Amino acid sequence: MADEIAELRHAIHREPEIGLDLPKTQAKVLAALAGLPLEITTGRSLSSVTAVLRGGSAHSRAEGPVVLLRGDMDALPVTEETHLPYASAVPGAMHACGHDAHTAMLAGAARLLSARQAELPGTVIFMFQPGEEGCAGARRMIEEGVLDAAGERPVAAYALHVSSQRLPCGMFSTRPGAMLAAADQITVTVHGRGGHASTPHRAADPIPVACEMVTALQTLVTRKFDVFDPVVITVGSFHAGTTDNVIPDRARFLATARSFSQESRSALAELVPRLIGDIARGHGLTAEAVYSAEYPVTVNDAAEAAFAAETIATVFGPERGEQAEFPITGAEDFSFVLEQVPGAFVMLGACPPDDDPLTAPTNHSAQATFDDTALADGTALYAELALRRLARVIPP
Ligand SMILES: [Zn+2]
């Protein structure tokens, strides 16, 4: 099946779609699943595909538990620079995070498990999800009932994610506890009073005050948070003014805040707006700081992470899996699934074997490449996780 999985991946890669509405990608998934013994529903507010495979024979359906497998489907607003034969044909859109691989592998796993329907001691939900990149597509699918698609809640949920660097091709990586960070957005507007740049004392200049906030946020990170419960704040956008001799009325900046515990996340939501407001007040200005919660911490259940590691070692050999020493400061909306269902998020190295994983372009880069040789193993792991997890609850 490896060639067919790669073919599907290339077709999705050539025609990337961004966000919650991915009609062409959805059509490719539906075509790949056609003819399989699946109960298929599509999303209302997003172009998701939920497929349910009930084990057992047509005469006696298995009474066993439910396991959920998730693959995300969306691309990024990046113009591809890889020159691969199957490179994106859409300027400004690219599967730079490898979600095309996840979609193809999950469709492959649906075929593998469908072929073993009779011996499957339970039910598998395949969650094909749009809008992972900032649109919280997973939360929408939960609101539309993906976790109840089989009639009862899954006992476990798993997601795979390919990486174009760090991990050698074919190497799996996971860990118990925090796997990825929580990501929140901070939007700050500093209100001053514009005027002539030569007489700042007659105006209320928002720019130096906003600059002070940018550096004070870094001090906040180092003075208010435990170094062993890390926090990252990065100001990624800063806008004020139009020219050199005019003091503007306002300054605006956007920051992302990453954290790994509820304690730190709650503290950020409280301390950041207070700091911004107090700095503005100290200078006789006002400011608004909006702290918006985006994605929670992706927390792997310890038992499910151990089960995933054990499955990797059994199926591929112990040398093919590592326990990640640290969580990743990226974020994932699979976290919304893991808030309700115990499970594990597993990384899979897909760096081209001839490239050095330490220097290869990262996910989200216009040059990121993900090697097809990882696809068969990712497909097999999806299928093995479901099969073995169902069998573990009710032995055949
Ligand atoms: Zn991703």
Side-chain angles (χ1 to χ4, degrees), residues 15-19 21-26 73-76 93 95:
E15 274 192 302
E17 297 175 293
I18 298 166
D21 187 29
L22 322 171
K24 293 174 180 168
T25 312
Q26 185 189 45
M73 304 156 81
D74 57 319
L76 283 158
H95 271 289

Side-chain angles (χ1 to χ4, degrees), residues 70 72 74 76 96-99 102 132-133 161-162 331-332 345 363-364:
R70 180 272 214 163
D72 44 9
D74 57 319
L76 283 158
C97 201
H99 299 183
H102 310 160
E132 193 286 320
E133 300 287 355
H161 203 302
V162 290
E332 245 298 331
F345 188 84
N363 287 36
H364 292 209

Side-chain angles (χ1 to χ4, degrees), residues 139-192:
R139 192 175 58 202
R140 281 177 186 249
M141 285 190 76
I142 293 169
E143 286 162 6
E144 292 192 0
V146 67
L147 299 182
D148 300 303
E152 62 177 285
R153 282 279 160 129
V155 293
Y158 307 100
L160 289 187
H161 203 302
V162 290
S163 174
S164 62
Q165 46 87 249
R166 199 184 74 74
L167 292 169
C169 195
M171 177 69 104
F172 293 99
S173 176
T174 190
R175 72 194 304 279
M179 180 74 195
L180 293 116
D184 299 324
Q185 191 178 59
I186 304 162
T187 308
V188 176
T189 310
V190 183
H191 299 283

